[in-house]
Amino acid sequence: MLGLNGTYFQPDTLQLKNAWLALIFCILYLISIIGNLSILTLVVLESALHQPMYYFLSMLSLNDLGVSFSTLPTVLATFCFSYRHIDFNVCLVQMFFIHTFSFMESGILLAMSFDRFVAICDPLRYATVLTNSRILAMGLGILAKSFATLFPFPFLVKRLPFCKGNVLHHSYCLHPDLMKVACGDIHVNNIYGLFVVIFTYGIDSTFILLSYALILRAVLVIASQEQRLKALNTCMSHICAVLVFYVPIIAVSMIHRFWKSAPPVVHVMMSNVYLFVPPMLNPIIYSVKTKEIRRGIFKVFYKSQI
């Protein structure tokens, strides 16, 4: 933003756009929050779900709630109260939490792929490999990694002047969106952003693919076709969750790389899909594809009718 004396300075507030999308967001929030809270409640209450697979699912649901609540305040303020401004420092805090929870989701999906790898490739050692203490350590490790890699971002943005206006393209704050209105040398931000993406999404997705390559090799050795299908079926929920998370990320990257002339609404919609669809679909996927989750839901629903 250009000041009266011709100098650049950081804006006190930034303006948020696309209030028309907030009605859709509210529906997605409702489904996401109810679905993920239901998964967490089921895992806590049902002793049959006190297993490594469902502990990791609880982490995923808790993280999805974090993603939802990180964007909830500004989206509701934009739509319900027509308040389209956010304090600059609050925007930086929101940006940090949105990106942290997004990168944590990638790490949790990697941990879940390791769970499936051990369950299929080394089932006799499943309980001894994935103990409660190791699961807790993995969860804390994912949190520490995401926090440490994202911690510099607010400070890297804070040092920049802003001279290209103060209107963002979303109802929440994202690092790429802030870079579009920033001035000065943003090479450090872009290089570090690329490093973080490769260090998280790149490494995590590579190991997820490796896990499933090893799982597929182990499954093909099984003589019985019925047992092969049964083994693969235990992975279907996780495979769907991985696709729901990574496909929008790949699509956003491809659009930015090969379709730079795309209308702004395309970029906005893809970013919204990337943030809002996985938290909504993950509880649905696991409820539909996981027999134990369905059984727990029916059990709780049956008790509520008595």
Side-chain angles (χ1 to χ4, degrees):
M1 183 178 294
L2 186 62
L4 295 177
N5 58 359
T7 60
Y8 299 117
F9 65 96
Q10 290 178 344
D12 292 328
T13 63
L14 293 166
Q15 187 174 349
L16 305 168
K17 293 183 67 176
N18 293 312
W20 62 273
L21 288 173
L23 178 60
I24 300 174
F25 292 164
C26 289
I27 297 172
L28 296 180
Y29 278 132
L30 188 63
I31 298 172
S32 174
I33 292 171
I34 292 175
N36 286 295
L37 284 176
S38 299
I39 294 292
L40 286 171
T41 304
L42 279 175
V43 174
V44 170
L45 296 180
E46 292 296 318
S47 57
L49 300 180
H50 293 174
Q51 302 176 33
M53 174 182 175
Y54 302 107
Y55 291 150
F56 287 121
L57 178 57
S58 297
M59 291 183 194
L60 185 64
S61 295
L62 193 61
N63 187 80
D64 285 340
L65 286 173
V67 173
S68 297
F69 286 123
S70 294
T71 57
L72 182 64
T74 52
V75 171
L76 291 186
T78 301
F79 176 66
C80 297
F81 305 104
S82 297
Y83 186 79
R84 302 181 184 180
H85 292 83
I86 182 173
D87 181 82
F88 181 71
N89 291 319
V90 174
C91 180
L92 296 183
V93 172
Q94 184 185 49
M95 175 199 72
F96 171 76
F97 280 108
I98 289 175
H99 288 302
T100 297
F101 284 120
S102 298
F103 287 125
M104 281 181 62
E105 181 137 350
S106 178
I108 293 170
L109 290 172
L110 173 59
M112 296 174 82
S113 71
F114 178 71
D115 168 78
R116 293 298 82 206
F117 166 74
V118 177
I120 293 175
C121 298
D122 198 1
L124 296 180
R125 297 183 58 208
Y126 182 68
T128 58
V129 171
L130 290 172
T131 60
N132 290 343
S133 59
R134 286 178 179 168
I135 293 172
L136 178 61
M138 291 171 70
L140 293 176
I142 293 168
L143 174 61
K145 173 190 172 185
S146 300
F147 183 89
T149 53
L150 271 298
F151 186 73
F153 267 121
F155 301 100
L156 290 174
V157 176
K158 181 77 172 176
R159 69 186 178 86
L160 295 172
F162 288 77
C163 62
K164 300 177 182 177
N166 65 338
V167 179
L168 303 179
H169 291 89
H170 303 84
S171 300
Y172 41 84
C173 298
L174 296 175
H175 182 261
D177 214 10
L178 287 169
M179 290 302 96
K180 292 178 182 178
V181 296
C183 299
D185 188 1
I186 62 172
H187 287 93
V188 174
N189 294 66
N190 290 335
I191 292 171
Y192 187 72
L194 180 61
F195 163 76
V196 171
V197 168
I198 295 173
F199 184 64
T200 52
Y201 293 153
I203 293 177
D204 291 347
S205 60
T206 299
F207 279 104
I208 289 172
L209 288 173
L210 178 61
S211 296
Y212 274 102
L214 296 174
I215 288 171
L216 185 61
R217 187 181 69 175
V219 167
L220 292 177
V221 176
I222 301 174
S224 170
Q225 182 178 358
E226 181 181 352
Q227 291 299 317
R228 287 201 299 267
L229 294 175
K230 184 178 180 181
L232 288 175
N233 191 55
T234 63
C235 300
M236 289 307 300
S237 298
H238 179 255
I239 291 173
C240 291
V242 169
L243 292 176
V244 164
F245 180 73
Y246 278 105
V247 168
I249 293 176
I250 295 172
V252 168
S253 300
M254 296 294 286
I255 288 174
H256 279 289
R257 177 66 180 85
F258 298 107
W259 193 17
K260 295 182 179 180
S261 61
V265 68
V266 174
H267 295 279
V268 172
M269 286 302 299
M270 289 308 302
S271 296
N272 291 331
V273 167
Y274 152 64
L275 272 181
F276 287 88
V277 171
M280 179 196 69
L281 286 184
N282 285 336
I284 298 174
I285 290 170
Y286 276 90
S287 298
V288 171
K289 298 296 295 182
T290 308
K291 181 173 62 177
E292 290 77 6
I293 296 291
R294 290 200 307 272
R295 186 183 294 123
I297 293 173
F298 292 145
K299 184 177 179 181
V300 172
F301 180 77
Y302 177 74
K303 286 181 179 179
S304 66
Q305 300 300 312
I306 297 177

